[in-house]
Amino acid sequence: MLDYLENRLEVKSGKTTKDLAFSLERVNCLGACALGPVMVVDKRYFGKINTRKIDSILEEYQDG
């Protein structure tokens, strides 16, 4: 999922996108193993993510 996000956002982990809309950070634990893989955006947890879910989540936040 990290590779997909890096390609989708055109940014490496630990960096922020050129438009400053997203920062990508890899962490070891979010305390939600049962939901893994997990992605957090604006303190919202998204569980059992896959590439389609990632696209949907990012579109939601990019559209405002």
Side-chain angles (χ1 to χ4, degrees):
M1 296 297 112
L2 181 60
D3 289 339
Y4 183 78
L5 278 163
E6 286 180 336
N7 289 323
R8 175 73 163 67
L9 294 173
E10 299 178 351
V11 67
K12 291 291 185 187
S13 179
K15 303 292 182 182
T16 300
T17 57
K18 290 178 185 177
D19 63 1
L20 305 177
F22 295 98
S23 292
L24 183 61
E25 295 288 334
R26 179 177 189 235
V27 297
N28 290 328
C29 181
L30 291 170
C33 292
L35 298 175
V38 177
M39 183 168 109
V40 179
V41 181
D42 283 341
K43 299 181 184 178
R44 270 181 70 194
Y45 283 65
F46 298 91
K48 301 191 186 288
I49 61 165
N50 56 42
T51 56
R52 274 193 318 202
K53 285 185 180 180
I54 288 172
D55 288 338
S56 176
I57 293 163
L58 293 178
E59 287 170 13
E60 176 185 338
Y61 281 89
Q62 288 171 328
D63 292 340

